[in-house]
Amino acid sequence: MSAQTLFEKVWNSHLVRPQTPDTPAVLYIDLHLVHEVTSPQAFTVLRERGLKVRRPDRTIGTMDHSTPTTPRGLDGLIPVTDVQAAAQLDVMTKNCQDFGIPLYKLGTENQGIVHVIGPEQGFTQPGMTIVCGDSHTSTHGAFGALAFGIGTSEVAHVLATQTLLQNQPQTMEVRVNGSLHSGVTAKDIILAIIAKIGVGGGTGYVLEYTGSAIRALSMEGRMTICNMSIEGGARAGMIAPDETTFQYVAGKPYAPKGADWDAAVANWRTLPTDEGATYDTLVELNADDLVPMITYGTNPGMGMKITDLVPDPDKLTDYSAKVALDKALTYMGLQPNQSLLGKKVDVVFIGSCTNSRIGDLREAAKFIEGRKVADGVRVMVVPGSQRVKAQAEAEGLDRIFREAGAEWREAGCSMCIAMNGDQLAPGQYAVSTSNRNFEGRQGKGGRTFLASPLTAAATAIAGVVTDPRTV
Amino acid sequence: MEPIKAFSGSVVALPINDIDTDQIIPARYLKVTDKAGLGAAAFTDWRYNADGSPKLEFPLNQEQYKGATVLVAGHNFGCGSSREHAPWALMGTGLKAVVSTYFADIFKGNALKNGLLPIVVDEDTQKQLISLSQEDPTTQVTIDLESQTLTLPDGRAVKFPVDPFSRYCLLNGVDQLGFLLNLDDETLAYEEKYPARVNTTA
C-alpha cells in the first residue's frame, strides 16, 4: 500500500462503504458524545421513526452547555434556576434513559465539558472516529483520532446507524518546528496559526499538526491546539500519537488494560503518517518566533502578537477585508494602531474546552499565587469537569484562586458560550481563555480578547491587558 | 421533506465576511428542544435594538426586502459553531438559499440536510448580486437545482456546485437517514470485523 497520512489511515479504516461519484463515503463512528443542546431534535427524529440507538455502548451523554456553574445548595445539588435550561436538561435525562445511553448528569462525579471528559475517562483513544454535535469535537484529534463536529441531523444519523455520510476532506500539514520561549504556550501557537491562515483558511481540510514544537507539548497543550482547528475553518485537526499520548491514556478508567493495552499500543504505533506520504498543502510556523498572542477583533483570525498594534483598516487593499476590520474595531471600541497592552478589562475568564484542564489551572494558579486580583476586575475560574475541579481542590489551587479574589466555580462551558447566565454585560471587556470572540459570544455587547491562561492570569492581577513575560 | 426544484425569488444582501453562526442565532436561543420559532431570533443582535425595536438600517428589517428568499452574503458564510439551529433560523425567516463565495463545512452540510441551498459563486457574481439587490430590491434570480444554475436578471446563468448525493436527496425529497438505515448489513459486517474498543455502558 502506498504511503499514507495519519488522517488517511484513520479514514480508510473506518469505511463501511467507500466514496463513489454519486455517494459520499459511509464512515463508521467509534464514539459519539452527546450533550443537551444539540441532541433533543435528533432524539425526536428517532421517536418519530420508531428507531432505537444502534450502539448505546459507543455513546455517552453529558450536561455542560446550558448548565449553571453556581455553588451547590445545602442538598449538594447545583440548582438550575433557568426554567428553559432546566426543561432542556430534563429532556436530556429522559432521552438518555429511554434510549439506554450512559449520562453524566449535572454535578455528578464525572460530569463536565464533553471535550474534557472524553479524554479524562479514556473514551478518547488514538485511531478512533469521534463525533459530537459540537464544533470543538476537533479537540480529540490531539490523540490521533479523527474527531469533528456535526449538526443535529447527523447526530440522529449516528444515533440510529453509528455511521455518517462524509465526502473525503483534503489534508493540510501545519508544521511547527523550533521551541517555545518561556511565557509562550500552546494557545499562542494556535492563535498564531489562525491569524496566519484566517478564519476560513482551513475550510475543506483536515489539519495535521507536526514538528518539534508540537511533539514537545503535553496532551493538554495538544488538545488546546486541536480544539481551535475549527476556528481556522477546519472541521478536524490531528496530532500523531506518541509516548506522550500513550502515557496520558494509560490507566484512564476506560482505557484498555493488560494484554488489550499492549495490543492497542502496538496498533496505535502504526498510525503516524508514513515517510513519503503527502498532504494537499503545507503551512509552516517557527515556535522560536512566537510570543504571547491576543485577538483584537470579532473572529479568532483577528489575532496578533500581544506587543503589536491593532491593524489599520486604511492599510488594507481588499475592500471586503477593510469593511470587516472597520466593523470589528467599531464593535470592539478600539482604534487602529493602538496597543492592547494596558487596556483596562472588566472580566477575566479562565475556562472552556480550550483551556480548563488541570494543567491550564496549575499554570494560572502558579502565576496568581501570592498575588491579588486587581480592583474592579471579575475573575472567573471554571474547571472543565468535576474531576478537574476535585483534582485542583486536592492540590489547593481553588484556595489560591479564592484568596486572590477570583471566583471558583462548578464545571461547565460557562462564559465561553454564555447560555447559562455566566456572561459579559454590554460593552464590557474580557480577556478569555476560550475559543471564540464573535460579537456577543460571551454576552450580548460583550467584547472578548482571546489569550492564553498565562496572559489571562497576568491580566487578572494587573487589571489591564498584560504580557505575562513582563511580570 | 418536500422536493426542491427550481424557484425564483428576490435577493437581500448582507455584504459582510465571515458571518458566524453566533450572529445567525445567538447561543441564548439554543435552550429549546424543537425547531419551531427560531426565525424570530435570526440575526437578532444585528436586527433589534436593546429595547426590542427593529434597527431600520438592517436590510432584513426593510420593507423593500420583505419576502426575499435569497440571501447574498460575504465570504465564508456560517463559520463557527455546528448548531443546526442556524439553517433552521434562516429558513424560519423564509430564506431558501444563501449565496457566498464559500461556506463553512459544517454549516454547508447542515443547510443541505434541511433544504436551505448553500450556493457557491465566484466573487464577481457575488458582487454583482449585492449591487443588484441594493440598487433594485425587486431584483429576482432563479435558482434551479436540477441544472445547478443561478440565473441573474440579465439572463446570465451561473453554474454552482452541489455534491451529487445532496442534490439527489433534495430533488427527490428523500432524507439521508433512510439511505444509511438501508446499509444495515454492511454496517453489521463492519462491526463484526472491527469490534469496539470502548464500552461506555461498562
Side-chain angles (χ1 to χ4, degrees):
Chain A
M1 188 169 283
S2 60
Q4 291 183 311
T5 62
L6 165 63
F7 161 76
E8 288 164 337
K9 291 179 190 186
V10 180
W11 176 270
N12 290 334
S13 65
H14 287 83
L15 291 175
V16 172
R17 189 186 257 202
Q19 193 166 330
T20 72
D22 295 326
T23 51
V26 177
L27 206 59
Y28 195 80
I29 301 304
D30 290 320
L31 180 67
H32 187 193
L33 313 168
V34 181
H35 66 79
E36 76 278 13
V37 171
T38 57
S39 66
Q41 299 87 348
F43 284 106
T44 302
V45 169
L46 264 62
R47 285 202 175 86
E48 282 169 359
R49 299 170 73 138
L51 299 167
K52 58 186 179 61
V53 172
R54 182 185 179 91
R55 297 298 299 264
D57 58 331
R58 289 172 175 262
T59 311
I60 52 167
T62 191
M63 298 175 167
D64 55 3
H65 278 66
S66 66
T67 52
T69 59
T70 41
R72 290 166 190 258
L74 292 174
D75 56 2
L77 300 177
I78 300 169
V80 185
T81 54
D82 179 329
V83 177
Q84 215 186 0
Q88 195 176 49
L89 295 174
D90 287 346
V91 168
M92 180 70 183
T93 303
K94 180 168 168 36
N95 284 335
C96 288
Q97 265 168 6
D98 289 359
F99 289 92
I101 295 168
L103 172 64
Y104 293 67
K105 288 183 78 166
L106 175 61
T108 54
E109 193 186 2
N110 296 322
Q111 171 254 340
I113 305 176
V114 65
H115 311 308
V116 175
I117 68 169
E120 79 183 5
Q121 290 297 319
F123 292 128
T124 301
Q125 294 173 23
M128 279 185 165
T129 48
I130 302 174
V131 297
C132 173
D134 188 287
S135 62
H136 293 110
T137 308
S138 57
T139 310
H140 308 262
F143 293 78
L146 173 61
F148 53 92
I150 56 178
T152 298
S153 294
E154 291 180 315
V155 170
H157 294 181
V158 180
L159 288 173
T161 72
Q162 208 60 31
T163 63
L164 268 184
L165 287 151
Q166 294 291 304
N167 289 305
Q168 185 168 344
Q170 293 192 288
T171 54
M172 178 188 292
E173 181 186 5
V174 181
R175 194 184 297 158
V176 191
N177 278 320
S179 47
L180 291 174
H181 297 290
S182 169
V184 189
T185 66
K187 184 65 167 283
D188 302 304
I189 295 180
I190 188 62
L191 285 172
I193 291 167
I194 300 164
K196 186 178 172 105
I197 69 174
V199 73
T203 305
Y205 290 97
V206 165
L207 311 185
E208 185 184 337
Y209 302 97
T210 66
S212 56
I214 302 294
R215 295 261 74 89
L217 291 173
S218 68
M219 283 316 293
E220 299 194 340
R222 295 179 189 185
M223 283 189 257
T224 299
I225 295 209
C226 288
N227 171 275
M228 289 189 72
S229 302
I230 184 65
E231 311 312 337
R235 276 181 95 168
M238 303 174 81
I239 294 174
D242 59 12
E243 296 308 319
T244 304
T245 322
F246 308 147
Q247 254 176 40
Y248 181 97
V249 178
K252 293 281 185 286
Y254 287 84
K257 307 280 188 300
D260 286 346
W261 170 259
D262 297 336
V265 172
N267 172 264
W268 297 343
R269 286 189 197 285
T270 68
L271 288 170
T273 295
D274 297 327
E275 184 106 13
T278 55
Y279 302 86
D280 295 300
T281 188
L282 167 71
V283 170
E284 275 189 283
L285 257 79
N286 194 320
D288 296 308
D289 302 335
L290 296 180
V291 306
M293 295 288 292
I294 194 161
T295 62
Y296 53 82
T298 53
N299 73 49
M302 293 180 173
M304 63 180 191
K305 294 177 175 173
I306 199 166
T307 47
D308 278 351
L309 303 180
V310 170
D312 187 344
D314 288 340
K315 289 186 184 144
L316 295 179
T317 47
D318 179 74
Y319 178 73
S320 70
K322 177 178 148 42
V323 171
L325 182 54
D326 262 329
K327 186 176 188 313
L329 296 188
T330 303
Y331 180 84
M332 293 296 291
L334 298 174
Q335 299 301 318
N337 306 310
Q338 85 173 87
S339 173
L340 288 187
L341 291 171
K343 174 84 186 162
K344 168 110 181 56
V345 303
D346 305 289
V347 175
V348 170
F349 174 67
I350 299 175
S352 87
C353 58
T354 313
N355 282 125
S356 66
R357 295 179 182 82
I358 190 68
D360 300 313
L361 302 187
R362 282 179 189 143
E363 209 165 43
K366 195 172 159 196
F367 198 98
I368 284 173
E369 187 163 20
R371 295 176 163 131
K372 289 283 179 206
V373 166
D375 284 344
V377 181
R378 181 185 188 194
V379 179
M380 292 173 72
V381 185
V382 183
S385 70
Q386 293 295 339
R387 283 206 163 206
V388 169
K389 181 166 182 273
Q391 175 69 30
E393 288 173 355
E395 294 178 19
L397 306 185
D398 61 320
R399 190 182 43 75
I400 293 172
F401 289 123
R402 284 183 213 268
E403 283 176 3
E407 296 172 31
W408 176 248
R409 318 269 301 193
E410 290 290 337
C413 299
S414 182
M415 207 171 65
C416 174
I417 189 164
M419 56 186 295
N420 71 337
D422 300 347
Q423 60 189 43
L424 298 177
Q428 281 191 323
Y429 286 98
V431 164
S432 176
T433 67
S434 57
N435 41 57
R436 287 189 175 136
N437 52 351
F438 297 146
E439 288 183 30
R441 169 79 180 186
Q442 296 197 283
K444 188 174 175 178
R447 296 149 162 176
T448 301
F449 301 126
L450 299 175
S452 73
L454 268 185
T455 300
T459 301
I461 300 307
V464 296
V465 174
T466 300
D467 182 340
R469 299 171 303 169
T470 61
V471 181
Chain B
M1 199 155 63
E2 286 294 305
I4 293 176
K5 305 285 183 199
F7 63 91
S8 297
S10 58
V11 182
V12 59
L14 273 185
I16 300 164
N17 290 346
D18 308 313
I19 294 179
D20 59 81
T21 53
D22 275 271
Q23 307 319 311
I24 299 171
I25 178 93
R28 61 184 183 277
Y29 294 98
L30 308 188
K31 288 181 275 190
V32 295
T33 53
D34 62 10
K35 305 175 185 178
L38 291 169
F43 295 112
T44 185
D45 291 347
W46 286 356
R47 213 167 155 183
Y48 300 104
N49 294 306
D51 65 3
S53 60
K55 293 182 182 175
L56 297 177
E57 70 278 15
F58 190 69
L60 288 168
N61 288 334
Q62 295 168 359
E63 198 55 42
Q64 64 269 36
Y65 293 109
K66 290 263 157 69
T69 53
V70 179
L71 174 71
V72 55
H75 312 309
N76 189 29
F77 186 86
C79 61
S81 133
S82 63
R83 61 191 70 166
E84 199 160 321
H85 308 67
W88 296 336
L90 294 171
M91 295 181 82
T93 69
L95 289 171
K96 294 180 176 178
V98 183
V99 181
S100 179
T101 50
Y102 68 103
F103 291 85
D105 292 325
I106 306 179
F107 175 84
K108 185 163 70 180
N110 287 342
L112 285 167
K113 285 179 187 66
N114 288 278
L116 177 72
L117 297 181
I119 297 189
V120 174
V121 297
D122 60 277
E123 200 170 336
D124 287 343
T125 303
Q126 175 203 35
K127 281 184 181 157
Q128 190 184 349
L129 272 171
I130 291 168
S131 327
L132 281 168
S133 163
Q134 290 176 338
E135 284 156 20
D136 178 5
T138 66
T139 296
Q140 294 260 318
V141 295
T142 300
I143 291 168
D144 185 345
L145 181 60
E146 179 87 53
S147 62
Q148 296 178 229
T149 52
L150 179 149
T151 307
L152 297 158
D154 62 7
R156 183 164 76 95
V158 183
K159 195 99 177 155
F160 61 84
V162 186
D163 90 83
F165 184 72
S166 296
R167 177 173 167 273
Y168 170 84
C169 289
L170 292 170
L171 284 172
N172 295 285
V174 297
D175 78 359
Q176 305 189 2
L177 177 54
F179 178 86
L180 289 173
L181 287 165
N182 283 333
L183 299 185
D184 195 51
D185 289 349
E186 284 171 62
T187 306
L188 205 58
Y190 182 92
E191 287 173 326
E192 278 165 9
K193 193 170 164 200
Y194 299 95
R197 275 184 288 153
V198 287
N199 177 358
T200 60
T201 53

